[in-house]
């Protein structure tokens, strides 16, 4: 309910304040300066987190530095012994939670044709991905989360094959 009110139907007061800021205070030039500053901030965060990923996660999973958006997508290099177990991605997610890492499982975004016959776990197992956002958290917090993720992936034998 909170999400619906805050992102889908913002209050009229908030909209009025934003409109005043954009039209009467910043103008087009101010808006462009604001967007440039945001892009620079996100680029710096992304680049720092890319370096942390290279240091901590190389060989355990695969990713590409995002060119747009605010997410790193990690494709897990799970060994066959893990991949062959039904529900293995549910196990990965639970281990992440137990280690204080909250990433979005790839199953939330997978599109599988004719998937009515698949269980939630079967869908999850088809998407060995985790999504990490770098827009909100400070790089130091993301670094700690990635170190914890590394611990989880090593415990699962990622990169061993």
């Amino acid at each position: 309910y909170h999400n619906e009110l805050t992102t889908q139907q913002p209050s009229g007061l908030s909209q009025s304040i934003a409109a005043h800021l954009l039209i009467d205070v910043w103008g087009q030039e101010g808006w462009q300066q604001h967007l440039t500053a945001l892009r620079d901030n996100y680029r710096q965060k992304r680049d720092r987190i890319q370096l942390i990923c290279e240091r901590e996660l190389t060989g355990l999973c695969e990713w590409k530095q995002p060119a747009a958006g605010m997410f790193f997508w990690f494709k897990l290099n799970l060994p066959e012994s893990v991949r062959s177990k039904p529900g293995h991605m549910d196990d990965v997610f639970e281990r992440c939670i137990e280690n204080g890492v909250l990433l979005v499982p790839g199953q939330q975004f997978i599109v599988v044709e004719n998937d009515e016959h698949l269980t939630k776990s079967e869908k999850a197992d088809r998407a060995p991905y985790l999504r990490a956002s770098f827009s909100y958290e400070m790089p130091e917090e993301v670094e700690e989360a990635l170190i914890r993720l590394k611990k989880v992936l090593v415990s699962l034998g990622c990169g061993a094959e």
Side-chain angles (χ1 to χ4, degrees):
Y1 180 73
H2 172 73
N3 187 45
E4 184 174 313
L5 290 177
T6 58
T7 60
Q8 295 178 6
Q9 301 169 355
S11 73
L13 177 61
S14 298
Q15 290 180 354
S16 295
I17 292 170
H20 171 71
L21 178 67
L22 293 172
I23 296 167
D24 301 328
V25 178
W26 283 357
Q28 184 66 28
E29 184 177 326
W31 175 242
Q32 289 302 318
Q33 290 173 353
H34 176 68
L35 291 177
T36 298
L38 282 175
R39 275 193 303 272
D40 291 344
N41 177 271
Y42 289 141
R43 184 181 302 111
Q44 290 171 8
K45 282 184 173 184
R46 181 208 60 195
D47 291 351
R48 181 161 177 208
I49 292 166
Q50 172 70 22
L51 292 173
I52 296 166
C53 288
E54 289 171 1
R55 185 186 75 219
E56 299 295 336
L57 301 177
T58 296
L60 303 174
C61 59
E62 300 168 23
W63 70 93
K64 290 183 179 161
Q65 180 174 313
M70 301 171 193
F71 305 105
F72 277 83
W73 281 91
F74 302 115
K75 181 179 182 188
L76 308 183
N77 292 333
L78 296 166
E80 179 59 32
S81 60
V82 173
R83 287 193 317 267
S84 64
K85 295 178 186 173
H88 65 271
M89 284 305 295
D90 291 338
D91 182 47
V92 170
F93 185 67
E94 287 302 318
R95 287 191 192 203
C96 285
I97 296 297
E98 290 167 5
N99 283 274
V101 180
L102 181 58
L103 299 172
V104 181
Q107 75 185 40
Q108 301 297 328
F109 307 96
I110 190 171
V111 177
V112 179
E113 298 297 324
N114 303 316
D115 64 353
E116 301 83 26
H117 66 283
L118 297 175
T119 67
K120 181 182 171 193
S121 289
E122 288 171 330
K123 289 179 191 176
D125 290 349
R126 291 180 179 212
Y129 292 88
L130 296 172
R131 187 186 82 172
S133 171
F134 62 87
S135 62
Y136 181 74
E137 300 296 337
M138 296 302 297
E140 297 79 15
E141 294 168 323
V142 176
E143 180 174 16
E144 179 60 33
L146 293 176
I147 290 169
R148 292 177 187 178
L149 176 61
K150 176 183 181 176
K151 178 181 171 186
V152 170
L153 297 180
V154 167
S155 76
L156 291 164
C158 286
E161 291 180 351

